Amino acid sequence: MIAELRITDLGVISDATMSFHPGLTVVTGETGAGKTMIITGLGLLLGGRADPKLVRSGTDRARIEGRFVATPSEVVDRMLAAGGELDADGELLVARHLTASGRSRAFLGGASVPAGVCTDVTADLLTIHGQSEQLRLAEPDRQRRVLDRFAGPAVMEPLDAYSRLWAELQAERSELAGLRMEAQSRAREIDLLRFGLDEIEKIAPGPGEDLALAAEANRLQSADDLRAAAQSAVLALAGSDDEAGGALAWLAAARKALEQTRADDVELATLASRLAETGYALTDITAELARYLDALDVEPARLEQIAERRARLSVLTRKYGTTCDEVLAWAVEAAERLRALEDSDDRILMLTSRIEQLGTELGALAERISAARREAADRFSAQVVEELAALAMPHAMLRFQLTGTNLGPHGADAVDLVFSANRDVQPRSLGKVASGGELSRVRLALEVVLAAGREAGTLVFDEIDAGVGGRVAVEIGRRLARLSHDTQVIVVTHLAQVAAFADQHYVVVKSGDGQVTTSGVVHVGEADRAVELARMMAGLETTESALAHAGELVELAIADRAGAGATH
C-alpha cells in the first residue's frame, strides 16, 4: 500500500505531503482547490502521460514522490530487474519529475527508468478509478476484463495459453498470406534462376578462365615477334650452330682464364666462383628459352578454339558478372536463393497444416474459457446485485450476457453487461440505460465484490459518488468503508455523507490568492470532522443545523465501523 505522497509544484499545488494508513482515506475541498491533482500525482507515479502544462505556473519543474510499504514480492522482483533497490526500511520509493519544457523522468527504487517500465512495476500497487473509468465500464472489452478478473485462474490460465497461441496464429496467417500473394513473382524468379544456372552449367566456366584465355590469345597473336626475340636471345647466348661464339663461349673462356690462377689469390678465387655461378644461370636461361621456342610451335587451330571459347564465356559475363569468378559467385548465390524459393511451397503446406492445428487447439481452449466465464458470470452477477441492493437499488437487475462469436484475441465470447434499475424493465446494455449515478454505484458494487479475492493493494476513486446524494451517498460511504477492510482505499469526494466514513480525512484548501500553499493539504482531526462535514453540506457558512447533521453523520459512521469491525 502507499504510505506517503509528496507533491511539489504540480498544477495549483505548491507543496503538499499526505501520509496514508490502511483503511479509508478521503480527500475533500472546494472546486478548483486541487483535489484532482492528488489523483493526477498518483497517476504519474504509475507512469501516466506527463503533460508539461501540469507544471505549476512560475516554476520549471514538478516533482511527485510516493513511498510504498508491504510491497508484493513479484513487484519487488520487477523493480530489482529494472535496477532499483528497496530503501533501508524495506520501502519502495517511486518518483516522477516533469519539466515545463516537456521532459519527464521516472525513478524506481532510486534508479532512473523509462515511464513504461515504471508502469509495468507499479501497476499492481495502485488502481485508479476516475470518471473516464466509469465511462469505459460501458465498453464490452472492459466488461469482459472485469468478468475475467472475477473468474480468476479458471479463466486466466487457459486465456494466457490461448493468447500465446492466438499470437502465433496471427503470425502464421500473415506469413502464409504473404507467401500466397507473392506466388506469381516467386514462380517468375524461380524460372529465371533455373535458366541462369542451366546456362552456366552448360558452358561450365572455370575460375579465372577468361583471364587465362585472354593472356594465351595475346601470346599466340604475337607468336612471330616472340619467336624472333627468343631466337635472337639464344643466338646471343649460345652462338650459331655453325660457328663458335656467344655469351656462353666467352664466359667459359673468362672462367678458364681465372681458374688457372685462383689458387694464388683469395679475391680472384671469389670472382672466379661468381663467374662460374653466372655461367650456370646463363645455361639455365638458354635452356628455358629453347623450351619456350618449342612451346610456340602450336597448331594454328588453337587460336580459333580460344576465340570460340571466349565468345561463349562472354555470354555469361554480359548477364551474371564481368568475370568468370563473378559469374561463379552469382551461381552460388542463385542456387541458395532457388532453394529458399522452392522451399516456400513446402513452407506453405507446413503453415496451412499448422494453422489448422492451431485452430483446433484454440477452439478447445475457447470452450474452456467460455464455460468458466459462464459459471463465473452467474456468481458475479448475484453478488453484485446484492451490493446494489445495499446501495439503495433493491430492484436492480444486472447480468453478464455472453454470446458465442468466431475465435478472437480473447476467446469466442462477446460480453455485454446488461442492467435495469427496475424489475419491470427489460435489462439492456449498461452504457445505454444507466444514469451517471447508477454507473457510479455499479462500478462500486463491482469493486466491492472483486476486492474479496484481491491481494492487498490500493484502490483510488475519483468522485465515485458523482450524480448521487442523500441516502444513496450514505450507502456509498458505508460500502467504501467496508471495502477498505480488505484493501487500502483513497477517495476524492465532494459529499459529506461519504467523507463521514473515513478513517482519515484530508482537505485541500485555497490560499488568499487562489493558490494551494505548503499547508494547503490539511489533515482533519477527529475533533474537526463535524465542522468540515458541515462546511461541505452548507458551503462556506456553517450553520447550527449543518453542524448537527454533520454530528449525526459522524456518529452513524462510527457506529457502522464498530459494527462492521465486530463482524469482519
Side-chain angles (χ1 to χ4, degrees), residues 416-436:
D416 186 16
L417 185 56
V418 296
F419 169 81
S420 172
N422 301 291
R423 288 191 181 135
D424 57 350
V425 177
Q426 184 68 22
R428 296 175 58 201
S429 297
L430 179 68
K432 296 180 179 179
V433 298
S435 65

Side-chain angles (χ1 to χ4, degrees), residues 213-226 296 303 306-307 310:
L213 290 175
E216 185 179 357
N218 185 62
R219 186 169 63 252
L220 291 175
Q221 289 168 349
S222 305
D224 292 341
D225 294 338
L226 295 173
L296 282 177
L303 190 58
I306 292 174
R310 292 181 71 189

Side-chain angles (χ1 to χ4, degrees), residues 182-201:
E182 297 169 359
Q184 289 186 343
S185 62
R186 191 166 60 250
R188 287 194 298 269
E189 187 177 358
I190 287 174
D191 285 345
L192 289 173
L193 292 172
R194 283 177 177 168
F195 178 84
L197 289 171
D198 289 344
E199 192 171 27
I200 293 172
E201 185 180 2

Side-chain angles (χ1 to χ4, degrees), residues 488-532:
Q488 186 185 44
V489 179
I490 300 171
V491 180
V492 173
T493 181
H494 64 280
L495 292 180
Q497 295 94 325
V498 173
F501 287 87
D503 296 300
Q504 63 174 350
H505 187 160
Y506 284 97
V507 60
V508 183
V509 297
K510 286 183 179 179
S511 62
D513 61 358
Q515 297 293 326
V516 177
T517 65
T518 302
S519 60
V521 178
V522 178
H523 182 265
V524 180
E526 285 297 323
D528 300 321
R529 293 286 303 285
V531 175
E532 174 58 20

Side-chain angles (χ1 to χ4, degrees), residues 43-237:
L44 287 168
L45 290 183
L46 297 181
R49 191 176 77 87
D51 186 346
K53 295 179 181 179
L54 293 172
V55 179
R56 185 169 177 259
S57 178
T59 63
D60 59 359
R61 182 186 303 272
R63 293 186 297 275
I64 306 93
E65 300 167 358
R67 181 165 56 88
F68 294 85
V69 297
T71 308
S73 59
E74 59 271 18
V75 174
V76 173
D77 291 341
R78 293 198 295 267
M79 180 271 298
L80 294 174
E85 297 180 354
L86 296 177
D87 71 359
D89 297 324
E91 298 174 343
L92 172 60
L93 302 180
V94 183
R96 191 77 181 275
H97 296 178
L98 53 149
T99 67
S101 62
R103 298 187 61 184
S104 168
R105 296 184 67 187
F107 298 88
L108 193 62
S112 178
V113 298
V117 173
C118 190
T119 300
D120 293 339
V121 173
T122 59
D124 293 333
L125 297 177
L126 277 169
T127 303
I128 298 177
H129 295 279
Q131 293 298 306
S132 58
E133 174 69 21
Q134 179 170 303
L135 295 175
R136 285 196 296 270
L137 184 59
E139 300 172 358
D141 188 60
R142 185 57 56 96
Q143 295 168 4
R144 175 194 54 76
R145 280 188 275 176
V146 169
L147 175 58
D148 289 350
R149 279 174 55 197
F150 176 82
V155 165
M156 300 309 291
E157 289 179 2
L159 183 58
D160 183 56
Y162 182 97
S163 297
R164 290 194 299 271
L165 291 180
W166 179 261
E168 182 183 351
L169 177 65
Q170 300 315 300
E172 306 284 42
R173 282 176 171 172
S174 177
E175 183 181 355
L176 180 60
L179 289 174
R180 286 175 171 168
M181 185 179 300
E182 297 169 359
Q184 289 186 343
S185 62
R186 191 166 60 250
R188 287 194 298 269
E189 187 177 358
I190 287 174
D191 285 345
L192 289 173
L193 292 172
R194 283 177 177 168
F195 178 84
L197 289 171
D198 289 344
E199 192 171 27
I200 293 172
E201 185 180 2
K202 289 177 182 176
I203 296 176
E209 183 182 0
D210 52 338
L211 301 179
L213 290 175
E216 185 179 357
N218 185 62
R219 186 169 63 252
L220 291 175
Q221 289 168 349
S222 305
D224 292 341
D225 294 338
L226 295 173
R227 183 178 292 104
Q231 287 174 341
S232 296
V234 169
L235 182 63
L237 289 171

Side-chain angles (χ1 to χ4, degrees), residues 217-280:
N218 185 62
R219 186 169 63 252
L220 291 175
Q221 289 168 349
S222 305
D224 292 341
D225 294 338
L226 295 173
R227 183 178 292 104
Q231 287 174 341
S232 296
V234 169
L235 182 63
L237 289 171
S240 62
D241 293 337
D242 57 350
E243 63 180 31
L248 287 174
W250 290 106
L251 188 61
R255 177 184 175 190
K256 182 177 180 181
L258 293 180
E259 287 291 337
Q260 296 174 354
T261 58
R262 66 179 297 164
D264 299 328
D265 183 73
V266 173
E267 183 176 356
L268 191 61
T270 301
L271 292 172
S273 297
R274 291 176 60 189
L275 196 59
E277 293 173 359
T278 302
Y280 299 146

